[in-house]
Amino acid sequence: MKTRSIRLYDTYQAKVREFVPIEEGKVSIYYCGPTVYNYVHIGNMRPVVTFDLLERVMKACGYEVHMISNYTDIDDKIIKRALEEKKSEKELSDYYIKAYEENLKGLNILPLENHPRVSNYIPEIVDFISKIMDNGYAYKAGGDVYFSVTDDPGYGKLSKMNVDDLISGSRVETNEAKKSPMDFALWKVTDDKGIKFDTKLGSGRPGWHTECVVMINSYFKKPTIDIHGGGFDLKFPHHENENAQSWAYSGKNLANYWMHVGFINLNNAKMSKSLGNIVLAKDAIEKYGGNVIRYLFISTYYRSPINFSSEAVETARVEVEKLKKFSDSFQVKFALNGLEPSDGINSEEFDEFLGYLADDLNVANAITVLDKVIKEGNKALRNSRTSSEELFKCYNTFNKMIDTLGLKFERKVVSEEDKKIYDDYLAAKKERNFDKSDKLREKLIERKIL
RNA sequence: GGUUCCUUAGCCAAGUUGGUAAGGCAACUGACUGCAACUCAGUCACCAUCGGUUCGAAUCCGGUAGGAACCUCCA
């Protein structure tokens, strides 16, 4: 299958670039997943929705997509919490992984190929760190292993940070053992009560920045993948550090394209646990529905911040309602008139729609085309001369667009009883028996037929 | 202190390489209707501000005001 051209903003080169895959027709993607020590908030889900949209768009453009995301199940926060709750780290992380997966379902996220967990990659991580040490980019200090930032001339290229500025302006805690305050831990030895691993690097745990590189290399079996991303804040230090390790390990960049997704603010303020202004994803999905949250996320360009306010949610709600109503009215029409489904879409319109999405996920413009289809569809529905084939073409086009955006509407079921009421309603109107028709109309509105 | 970003109608939000502003919501007007709802059509922007470059700038450059992020765990 021929692939359609896609343009993506690449943080590394700081510009929109034509997407060129490593392997023709295929794309490998990894985005950083949650640290599973608690329920995730809505901000955590924006990158997930964004990458899910990217996957759908790339598939529609003819790509074979291989996308994975990790679960960080080894982390100080998990250990602390597990000790508090007198559970094992595994019990705790398993619980929150399950909770997280409910959110994936709620937001209609396509199943990923894999969700690697750090705890399953300890031997690979140890080998990886050893190789970096052999290559001269990491050193042991007080039992821990640190990455030597000053030995990497490319450090700071991704996040556009200058190492000297970072060091001089650093509020980083000074650690006597470290060569430079910017150096970060690859392996930390410990004798605390938390989970630890007995390895040739000592009894301890890996640093956070190593896991993703190792899992990318191990899973995709190559040093460089097509796209790597996550939230905006991951750019520095997390992704910068990952890429530094990749260079130290293989002499190659970890990814050809780096994508970073903007934040979600709550009433114009950053969500933070200390301020206590967190909206949990599960609560938002339960309260407003997955479609509304998803629509809210994708309707703003993914690199811009979103302000999560009651007005914003309401706007998204009304939009989704409109889409749902459109979908319903087609199904009602088909059912009431006993129309036989037919295939085919309006490919020019879908092409235009996809073209916008393929332009760095310009959902706003794509929705413009969707709205055009809805207007035409509504006109076609009212026009008694529209053929059933044309109606289905419009409906199919609409559905394909909705599916590409990752929205999902249940099928409207029109019962025999509904049909009967509808026929009676028409008859009463014809007889100008408005008392009766008004009552039937009430019923039909209740049943969402009108 | 260092680095970076943002400011488009009541609200949300587009706007490749500069050529006098997409779309949606809300509002208003009209059509349709027995009345209404739905739907359709139409109306609604001096692009934060000041100055510069230019035949021409929301788009480029500079100043000002306001807002935000990163530099530390963070989606």
Side-chain angles (χ1 to χ4, degrees), chain A residues 308-372:
Chain A
F308 192 90
S309 62
S310 53
E311 293 104 314
V313 174
E314 178 59 15
T315 302
R317 215 211 82 230
V318 172
E319 282 302 312
V320 169
E321 188 88 353
K322 187 172 88 175
L323 299 174
K324 166 81 172 137
K325 203 192 294 178
F326 181 75
S327 170
D328 283 355
S329 60
F330 262 95
Q331 280 157 28
V332 168
K333 171 93 176 178
F334 297 150
L336 294 180
N337 295 284
L339 301 180
E340 286 301 314
S342 61
D343 294 334
I345 63 158
N346 191 332
S347 49
E348 305 90 81
E349 276 169 340
F350 186 76
D351 213 51
E352 190 189 355
F353 172 85
L354 188 58
Y356 283 126
L357 290 177
D359 184 14
D360 200 28
L361 302 180
N362 191 331
V363 178
N365 279 341
I367 286 177
T368 305
V369 186
L370 216 206
D371 280 322
K372 203 164 75 184

Side-chain angles (χ1 to χ4, degrees), chain A residues 1 23 39 55 94 104 130 132 137 159 167 181 193 201 232 236 245 280 283 311 329 340 342 351 366 424 437 446:
Chain A
M1 184 173 175
E23 201 177 330
Y39 297 110
E55 174 174 8
D94 279 353
L104 298 182
S130 305
I132 290 183
Y137 289 96
S159 55
I167 292 172
K193 288 194 173 114
L201 296 173
F232 233 80
F236 188 90
Q245 292 172 84
L280 295 181
D283 295 341
E311 293 104 314
S329 60
E340 286 301 314
S342 61
D351 213 51
D424 290 349
S437 75
E446 242 171 64

Side-chain angles (χ1 to χ4, degrees), chain A residues 12-244:
Chain A
Y12 194 85
Q13 292 193 21
K15 63 180 181 194
V16 177
R17 297 165 57 206
E18 179 76 28
F19 176 70
V20 181
I22 293 166
E23 201 177 330
E24 201 184 329
K26 290 185 183 174
V27 55
S28 44
I29 308 174
Y30 180 106
Y31 66 87
C32 294
T35 300
V36 282
Y37 69 107
N38 204 339
Y39 297 110
V40 296
H41 60 245
I42 50 173
N44 294 281
M45 296 312 288
R46 170 131 93 138
V48 178
V49 169
T50 303
F51 281 97
D52 183 67
L53 176 67
L54 180 69
E55 174 174 8
R56 290 168 188 270
V57 169
M58 290 196 122
K59 280 181 171 167
C61 288
Y63 281 94
E64 184 185 313
V65 180
H66 298 281
M67 185 161 88
I68 65 169
S69 178
N70 66 300
Y71 290 136
T72 297
D73 62 353
I74 295 175
D75 177 274
D76 288 350
K77 290 189 285 283
I78 296 174
I79 291 163
K80 183 166 171 255
R81 184 122 190 198
L83 286 173
E84 279 168 13
E85 298 187 11
K86 296 194 167 59
K87 286 178 183 160
S88 72
E89 287 85 352
K90 179 148 173 34
E91 280 175 298
L92 189 89
S93 54
D94 279 353
Y95 175 81
Y96 287 112
I97 284 172
K98 218 174 147 204
Y100 176 79
E101 286 174 347
E102 283 301 308
N103 292 327
L104 298 182
K105 227 185 283 171
L107 289 168
N108 197 26
I109 306 295
L110 295 170
L112 295 188
E113 239 177 52
N114 203 344
H115 285 278
R117 303 182 191 194
V118 189
S119 56
N120 294 331
Y121 284 84
I122 300 301
E124 288 87 344
I125 288 174
V126 170
D127 287 348
F128 183 88
I129 294 172
S130 305
K131 171 99 183 280
I132 290 183
M133 290 173 79
D134 291 346
N135 290 354
Y137 289 96
Y139 59 93
K140 267 201 165 178
D144 299 337
V145 180
Y146 286 97
F147 186 90
S148 178
V149 165
T150 41
D151 284 327
D152 175 14
Y155 194 80
K157 262 182 102 175
L158 174 67
S159 55
K160 315 286 176 275
M161 297 277 191
N162 179 305
V163 181
D164 294 334
D165 289 349
L166 281 171
I167 292 172
S168 63
S170 79
R171 309 197 297 245
V172 180
E173 89 286 2
T174 40
N175 180 333
E176 296 299 322
K178 291 205 283 188
K179 281 205 250 172
S180 158
M182 293 314 298
D183 290 351
F184 56 92
L186 301 180
W187 187 266
K188 281 181 273 192
V189 293
T190 179
D191 56 0
D192 66 16
K193 288 194 173 114
I195 186 169
K196 49 189 165 296
F197 305 88
D198 230 342
T199 74
K200 63 179 177 184
L201 296 173
S203 178
R205 296 189 284 268
W208 175 45
H209 306 302
T210 306
E211 58 181 75
C212 294
V213 198
V214 171
M215 290 190 282
I216 287 172
N217 288 177
S218 303
Y219 184 82
F220 290 108
K221 302 197 170 33
K222 53 189 176 189
T224 303
I225 58 170
D226 289 301
I227 301 169
H228 183 196
F232 233 80
D233 54 336
L234 260 33
K235 213 190 300 184
F236 188 90
H238 187 54
H239 288 164
E240 190 71 61
N241 290 353
E242 285 181 15
N243 206 38

Side-chain angles (χ1 to χ4, degrees), chain A residues 239-261:
Chain A
H239 288 164
E240 190 71 61
N241 290 353
E242 285 181 15
N243 206 38
Q245 292 172 84
S246 179
W247 266 100
Y249 183 80
S250 67
K252 296 201 167 101
N253 271 343
L254 226 205
N256 284 335
Y257 298 81
W258 295 78
M259 292 176 70
H260 292 100
V261 179

